[in-house]
Amino acid sequence: MKQKSRSFAAADVLFILGMLAPIAFAIILKVLFIPASDDIEITGAYIFFTLKLPLFDLPITEAQINSWCVIISIFFLCLYLTHGLTAKVNTRRQHLAEWIVEKTSKLVADNMGEYFKSFAPFICAILGLSAFSSLMSLTGLFPPTSDINVIAGWSILVFILISYYKMKCGPLHYLKSFGEPVPFLAPLNVISEVATPVSMTFRHYGNILSGTVISVLIAAALQGVSSMLLGWLPGVIGEIPFLQIGLPAVLSVYFDVFSGCLQAFIFAMLTMLYVAGAFPAETYKAKKERRKQTANSK
């Protein structure tokens, strides 16, 4: 029993290290390769190196590295939460794991219906990846959600799912849907189809990036005002930016924590609504019934 307890605790330690190690790796990369600056710089993700490919070059950026770090951390978090599951709930981590599963399943059932109940893991993954990516800014790292390419990749994946479920009743039904409610609206329906991933991308990206920019500008402005009003104080005391104490932290709670989690929830909600709304449930059900009747008649 004692040996089992030790191995259980050792596995927990490994899982916790697995959660923290990717973030530490990203911080080390930033310290070693990204030059520090005393001025205000609002730039995109730092490019570490570029892979030369036949069709086009592939830059490996800070956003991509940090995204993989978040994915690996979430993976080990899941292993930690599900380690030692039993039929009878007797640990806080199992309570938390079951609460996440129950809430996500209920969210999917309420917004997508019973047909999409298997979507719960996918929606939970979107929520976790988006929220933790935004929260990386709390560690001083570049949040992947501030890179439009990362969000565009998520939106393209959602667009593929939307198109897949629209075509559940066949390609002909999918093409017919562009002519509803009247055929002359087909060009507008095509534009609306393409606009879906574009709007999802810019909504998420714009809100996260704007919060980061506002926080940086306010912090820099407070430093300047502090130097102007309190710079006359003698010695090192006059160099301390007193006005930067407190307010940037409050803004960080809103822009980094609240706004980041809110945008993750909105992106997940839009994914559920767009995918469920694209699925012609009644037509698909009628088609299945006709196939069943045809098979029985034979």
Side-chain angles (χ1 to χ4, degrees):
M1 180 65 72
K2 194 174 287 186
Q3 184 67 29
K4 184 178 178 181
S5 300
R6 287 177 180 175
S7 61
F8 189 89
D12 277 351
V13 171
L14 288 176
F15 294 149
I16 293 172
L17 289 175
M19 285 186 276
L20 299 178
I23 308 302
F25 173 75
I27 293 173
I28 293 171
L29 276 183
K30 180 174 181 178
V31 172
L32 293 179
F33 294 100
I34 302 177
S37 176
D38 296 329
D39 301 324
I40 300 175
E41 288 188 1
I42 300 174
T43 59
Y46 180 81
I47 299 176
F48 289 106
F49 58 91
T50 302
L51 295 176
K52 301 294 183 181
L53 299 177
L55 296 179
F56 53 85
D57 294 340
L58 176 63
I60 304 302
T61 69
E62 191 180 6
Q64 292 168 310
I65 299 295
N66 291 352
S67 290
W68 277 104
C69 289
V70 171
I71 291 170
I72 295 170
S73 293
I74 292 176
F75 172 72
F76 280 101
L77 174 62
C78 293
L79 291 179
Y80 175 77
L81 291 177
T82 55
H83 185 216
L85 291 180
T86 58
K88 183 180 179 181
V89 182
N90 54 11
T91 60
R92 292 181 181 177
R93 78 175 78 176
Q94 186 167 344
H95 274 292
L96 179 59
E98 292 191 3
W99 180 82
I100 292 172
V101 172
E102 289 172 2
K103 291 299 179 182
T104 308
S105 299
K106 185 176 184 304
L107 185 68
V108 171
D110 291 344
N111 291 281
M112 301 184 77
E114 285 298 318
Y115 180 83
F116 290 96
K117 61 183 179 181
S118 59
F119 249 66
F122 178 71
I123 297 301
C124 189
I126 287 179
L127 283 166
L129 183 58
S130 178
F132 282 105
S133 294
S134 299
L135 292 174
M136 283 197 85
S137 59
L138 295 175
T139 62
L141 296 170
F142 182 87
T145 44
S146 290
D147 190 334
I148 193 171
N149 299 292
V150 173
I151 308 301
W154 301 352
S155 300
I156 290 171
L157 176 60
V158 173
F159 179 70
I160 292 172
L161 287 172
I162 293 170
S163 300
Y164 170 76
Y165 281 99
K166 274 192 174 182
M167 295 181 69
K168 272 286 191 177
C169 293
L172 186 60
H173 183 274
Y174 174 68
L175 293 174
K176 275 183 171 181
S177 66
F178 288 106
E180 296 176 354
V182 286
F184 70 82
L185 289 178
L188 292 178
N189 289 333
V190 172
I191 294 173
S192 175
E193 191 82 355
V194 176
T196 298
V198 176
S199 65
M200 290 183 70
T201 299
F202 279 100
R203 180 184 290 108
H204 196 302
Y205 162 74
N207 281 285
I208 298 299
L209 180 64
S210 61
T212 303
V213 172
I214 291 171
S215 296
V216 170
L217 291 177
I218 290 178
L222 289 172
Q223 183 180 11
V225 173
S226 180
S227 177
M228 182 176 63
L229 296 179
L230 305 174
W232 56 270
L233 293 173
V236 182
I237 300 177
E239 298 177 5
I240 299 175
F242 288 101
L243 297 183
Q244 276 191 322
I245 300 173
L247 184 57
V250 174
L251 291 176
S252 178
V253 170
Y254 175 78
F255 288 118
D256 295 330
V257 180
F258 176 74
S259 181
C261 294
L262 178 63
Q263 293 307 316
F265 179 75
I266 291 174
F267 193 90
M269 283 294 297
L270 289 175
T271 299
M272 289 187 287
L273 295 176
Y274 282 138
V275 172
F279 179 57
E282 295 299 326
T283 307
Y284 182 71
K285 186 177 179 181
K287 186 177 180 180
K288 285 189 70 176
E289 287 295 329
R290 287 196 300 270
R291 284 181 179 176
K292 188 176 180 181
Q293 291 174 2
T294 303
N296 291 335
S297 63
K298 291 181 180 179

